[in-house]
């Protein structure tokens, strides 16, 4: 994890951020001449120092961490029948009955 402290807030540069209007900002892996991390926003290739992005577009909200490839593989290959049997997942039949009752 690569962090940067600005205004008393620790930023995890490896995770990326979204600003208040929904633009995603990611770290380029480079720093400005004064040691500030350079971020790029979606659609704009010009790097901007994190303090400038924070001032002009903040607050910056950390993006959720991406799931590991192992977790994705485990979820995609999960045994649906076993999941229903164990009570973790609602069967299609139970879902259809529940939603049909709700619409009456």
């Amino acid at each position: 994890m690569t962090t940067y402290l600005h205004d008393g807030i620790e930023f995890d540069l490896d995770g990326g951020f979204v600003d208040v209007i929904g633009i995603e900002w990611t770290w380029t892996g480079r720093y400005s001449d004064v040691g500030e991390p350079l971020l790029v926003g979606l659609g704009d290739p010009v790097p901007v120092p994190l303090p400038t992005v924070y001032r002009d577009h903040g607050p910056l909200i950390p993006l959720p961490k991406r799931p590991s490839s192992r977790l994705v593989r485990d979820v995609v290959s999960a045994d649906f029948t076993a999941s229903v049997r164990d009570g973790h997942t609602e069967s299609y039949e139970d879902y259809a009955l529940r939603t049909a009752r709700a619409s009456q």
Side-chain angles (χ1 to χ4, degrees):
M1 179 167 78
T2 306
T3 59
Y4 178 74
L5 188 65
H6 175 70
D7 262 358
I9 301 167
E10 186 175 76
F11 292 89
D12 177 4
L13 300 175
D14 299 326
F17 311 95
V18 63
D19 66 21
V20 294
I21 61 170
I23 296 174
E24 290 187 16
W25 295 88
T26 55
W27 182 42
T28 62
R30 299 185 332 248
Y31 294 89
S32 70
D33 293 339
V34 294
E36 299 168 333
L38 295 172
L39 306 179
V40 289
L42 224 51
D44 189 358
V46 178
V48 182
L50 184 143
T52 303
V53 174
Y54 183 77
R55 181 194 68 219
D56 295 347
H57 304 280
L60 297 176
I61 303 154
L63 288 169
K65 301 285 187 215
R66 296 186 189 268
S68 68
S69 58
R70 179 179 179 174
L71 177 60
V72 170
R73 184 181 63 248
D74 290 348
V75 169
V76 170
S77 63
D79 183 348
F80 180 74
T81 305
S83 181
V84 171
R85 182 182 60 244
D86 295 342
H88 299 297
T89 307
E90 182 177 37
S91 71
Y92 174 75
E93 292 80 12
D94 289 343
Y95 169 78
L97 287 171
R98 180 174 55 82
T99 56
R101 282 192 300 261
S103 66
Q104 294 177 354

